[in-house]
Amino acid sequence: MTETENIRDVVIVGSGPAGWTAAIYSARAGFEPLVLAGTLEAGGALMTTTEVENFPGWPEGVLGPDLMERLQTQAERFGAQVEYEDAVELELDGEVKTITTESGVYRARVVILALGSAYRKLRLDREAEFSGKGVSYCATCDGFFFKGKEIAVVGGGDSAVTEALFLARFGSTVHVIHRRGELRASKVMADRLLAEPNVEVHWNKVVTALHGEATLESATLTDTVTGETSTLPVSGLFVAIGHDPRSAIVRGEVAVDDAGYILVDEPSTRTNAPGVFAAGDVVDHTYRQAVTAAGSGCRAALDAQSYLEGLA
């Protein structure tokens, strides 16, 4: 492992809309930021999203990976450096912070945390066993493998509806399993889902068990009102019940709330550690949209600029 001798002005940990936007603004301000974009998670959640229809400036929609590629290209055009590494340890106290990866150690006056969030799981017995063998958290990654088969999607928000609409291209029937009696998704998305001929919604149901030999074969559904159980034969089950913030690596270094979201001094992006700022889904309980993440990345870069100018 090598340790860089120079102290950078800005290191951005994470990518996605927040990280890339922070990089664009920091680079244009002349700080030559380093983006530790990650390995498997490089680009954030939008790397596994098909068509993004609600990002401003894209009236015809844009594929998630294409949008992230364009943001990265824009950041690099202005002088951002990108390394596909994961931070394994961060020391964020003091004027100079230390970020350790598997291959090196970086030092910076400012760290912007754009760590994003992770797929939330059902926490059922055999869920891990069936992961990749019928259970998935990414329709765009795995939907093709279930062509002509019975598929289930767990959830009722925009993410679940997006997954179900995508899977409707492949599955003989897509079963949407929702614990409530109405969808939480936006009306436009809900209407689109309910109009799909091969989508069936199971209201007031939760998945309580998974069954199969080598691969998933069925799921037990429990009615949240009556408690009655039923068996749903499915080959694929896609979990879309939300995300948890990826803040484990910085707990103890910056303050987080009970749910693990990094606390910032709203409306700024300042954490309780001087020179450390946080943006995107690792902060956002409420909106969790690409455009709001990008906006918070902008704010983090501007806050970082003000902090650095104060050190001069």
Side-chain angles (χ1 to χ4, degrees):
M1 179 179 294
T2 59
E3 180 170 352
T4 56
E5 295 182 359
N6 64 310
I7 300 173
R8 297 174 176 271
D9 284 322
V10 178
V11 169
I12 300 166
V13 184
S15 45
W20 294 132
T21 304
I24 290 167
Y25 274 76
S26 296
R28 290 189 74 249
F31 293 120
E32 299 180 342
L34 168 67
V35 182
L36 298 178
T39 53
L40 295 177
E41 302 299 332
L46 284 184
M47 294 300 290
T48 58
T49 301
T50 50
E51 199 162 14
V52 179
E53 296 182 322
N54 55 5
F55 199 88
W58 299 91
E60 305 302 324
V62 59
L63 296 178
D66 290 347
L67 178 57
M68 292 303 94
E69 182 181 356
R70 285 174 176 262
L71 289 177
Q72 178 177 348
T73 299
Q74 190 173 359
E76 291 179 309
R77 173 193 168 200
F78 292 119
Q81 176 188 348
V82 179
E83 297 291 344
Y84 294 99
E85 300 182 59
D86 292 310
V88 296
E89 184 179 0
L90 292 94
E91 298 176 22
L92 301 178
D93 60 336
E95 186 173 325
V96 176
K97 296 83 171 70
T98 301
I99 307 97
T100 302
T101 69
E102 290 186 351
S103 60
V105 177
Y106 301 94
R107 303 168 72 206
R109 295 180 179 86
V110 161
V111 171
I112 296 176
L113 302 171
L115 299 167
S117 56
Y119 297 114
R120 188 172 295 162
K121 298 183 179 180
L122 296 173
R123 299 181 181 178
L124 294 176
D125 291 341
R126 306 193 73 186
E127 182 177 2
E129 176 187 345
F130 286 128
S131 180
K133 300 176 181 178
V135 173
S136 175
Y137 307 90
C138 174
T140 56
C141 304
D142 301 325
F144 178 80
F145 301 111
F146 298 93
K147 192 170 184 179
K149 298 180 180 181
E150 297 279 324
I151 304 172
V153 175
V154 183
D158 278 341
S159 294
V161 170
T162 299
E163 299 270 279
L165 288 169
F166 177 78
L167 291 167
R169 309 176 189 180
F170 303 105
S172 57
T173 303
V174 176
H175 302 270
V176 176
I177 303 164
H178 186 41
R179 64 171 53 246
R180 298 181 176 86
E182 61 180 4
L183 296 170
R184 293 183 294 107
S186 64
K187 187 177 186 305
V188 170
M189 295 294 289
D191 289 346
R192 191 179 301 175
L193 179 76
L194 297 174
E196 281 289 333
N198 64 331
V199 169
E200 180 182 346
V201 181
H202 299 258
W203 305 107
N204 301 309
K205 300 290 192 303
V206 293
V207 179
T208 50
L210 303 172
H211 312 283
E213 295 296 329
T215 60
L216 180 70
E217 297 174 9
S218 66
T220 297
L221 307 187
T222 299
D223 193 295
T224 59
V225 177
T226 67
E228 295 180 356
T229 62
S230 58
T231 299
L232 181 68
V234 289
S235 299
L237 185 138
F238 290 79
V239 182
I241 57 174
H243 302 79
D244 291 315
R246 294 183 180 276
S247 60
I249 193 172
V250 294
R251 295 182 193 185
E253 294 291 327
V254 297
V256 300
D257 66 14
D258 291 340
Y261 289 90
I262 297 175
L263 293 170
V264 294
D265 186 16
E266 293 281 3
S268 80
T269 61
R270 292 189 301 268
T271 70
N272 64 315
V276 180
F277 305 88
D281 285 3
V282 76
V283 174
D284 184 6
H285 280 266
T286 307
Y287 302 104
R288 293 189 292 270
Q289 300 294 309
V291 67
T292 54
S296 67
C298 164
R299 289 160 50 209
L302 295 175
D303 290 339
Q305 180 178 343
S306 294
Y307 174 83
L308 289 166
E309 289 172 349
L311 295 178

